[in-house]
């Protein structure tokens, strides 16, 4: 039970950080990996996965999201978080979580596009777009990260843990 609460707290931290900064810091990825390994070794993970199921989930999370990173649609932090999330939940849970998160991210992008074209609420549009960042040289980044995908993965996981496992 304590590890499940720790897992949910970790998900909350990732979501909050990604919503605010549009990035997932490596220290959060490392903490999540260590917690997942601890859960696997002790057999106290929230889903009771074995090593094979956890590694398959981690590989799937990494592989699925790596394709989107390669096309420039998401950042490396999203991919690393997806891999660690897969370690926690395994492949059978990762797939519905991924679908739910993708639907939430799509809704975010559509709402942002709509508000960008018809700005009746500039503050909401700015919030959805996230912080504006410049590279080290002061030139703008190639592609801003509008959608905090790791945050939606984290939220979908929390929802799935509360409601999805009961069916």
């Amino acid at each position: 039970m304590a590890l499940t609460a720790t897992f949910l707290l970790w998900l909350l931290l990732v979501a909050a950080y990604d919503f605010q900064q549009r990035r997932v810091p490596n220290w959060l990825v490392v903490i999540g990996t260590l917690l997942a390994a601890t859960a696997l070794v002790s057999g106290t993970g929230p889903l009771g996965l074995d090593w094979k199921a956890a590694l398959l989930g981690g590989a799937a999370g990494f592989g699925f999201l790596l394709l989107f990173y390669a096309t420039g649609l998401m950042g490396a932090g999203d991919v690393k978080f997806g891999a660690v999330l897969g370690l926690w939940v395994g492949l059978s849970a990762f797939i519905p979580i991924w679908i739910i998160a993708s639907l939430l991210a799509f809704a975010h992008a559509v709402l942002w596009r709509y508000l960008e074209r018809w700005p009746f609420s500039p503050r909401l549009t700015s919030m959805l777009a996230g912080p504006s960042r410049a590279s080290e040289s002061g030139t703008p980044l190639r592609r801003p990260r509008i959608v905090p995908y790791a945050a939606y993965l984290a939220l979908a996981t929390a929802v799935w843990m509360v409601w999805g496992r009961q069916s």
Side-chain angles (χ1 to χ4, degrees), residues 3 9 13 23 49 77 96 103 106 138:
L3 200 54
L9 177 62
L13 284 171
R23 58 185 297 274
L49 298 177
L103 292 173
F106 178 74

Side-chain angles (χ1 to χ4, degrees), residues 18-34:
D18 198 29
F19 273 125
Q20 185 179 24
Q21 300 293 320
R22 295 301 194 266
R23 58 185 297 274
V24 178
N26 287 334
W27 63 268
L28 272 174
V29 173
V30 169
I31 287 172
T33 304
L34 294 173

Side-chain angles (χ1 to χ4, degrees), residues 42-64:
S42 65
T44 58
L47 305 181
L49 298 177
D50 62 0
W51 279 97
K52 183 180 175 184
L55 291 175
L56 185 60
F62 181 78
F64 287 158

Side-chain angles (χ1 to χ4, degrees), residues 3 13 25-27 42 44 67-68 70 99 110 121 136 150 153 159:
L3 200 54
L13 284 171
N26 287 334
W27 63 268
S42 65
T44 58
L67 296 172
F68 294 98
I99 291 169
V110 167
S121 177
E136 300 299 319
L153 277 172
V159 167

Side-chain angles (χ1 to χ4, degrees), residues 18-133:
D18 198 29
F19 273 125
Q20 185 179 24
Q21 300 293 320
R22 295 301 194 266
R23 58 185 297 274
V24 178
N26 287 334
W27 63 268
L28 272 174
V29 173
V30 169
I31 287 172
T33 304
L34 294 173
L35 288 170
T38 301
L40 285 167
V41 167
S42 65
T44 58
L47 305 181
L49 298 177
D50 62 0
W51 279 97
K52 183 180 175 184
L55 291 175
L56 185 60
F62 181 78
F64 287 158
L65 300 183
L66 185 62
L67 296 172
F68 294 98
Y69 172 75
T71 60
L73 294 174
M74 68 177 47
D78 298 324
V79 177
K80 292 181 278 187
F81 174 71
V84 175
L85 184 61
L87 281 175
W88 275 99
V89 300
L91 179 61
S92 62
F94 186 80
I95 291 173
I97 289 168
W98 181 43
I99 291 169
I100 292 167
S102 296
L103 292 173
L104 291 171
F106 178 74
H108 179 114
V110 167
L111 181 60
W112 175 75
R113 278 285 188 207
Y114 176 79
L115 291 174
E116 185 182 47
R117 290 188 182 152
W118 296 285
F120 65 88
S121 177
R123 181 177 241 172
L124 180 59
T125 305
S126 174
M127 185 179 74
L128 286 171
S132 60
R133 290 188 284 186

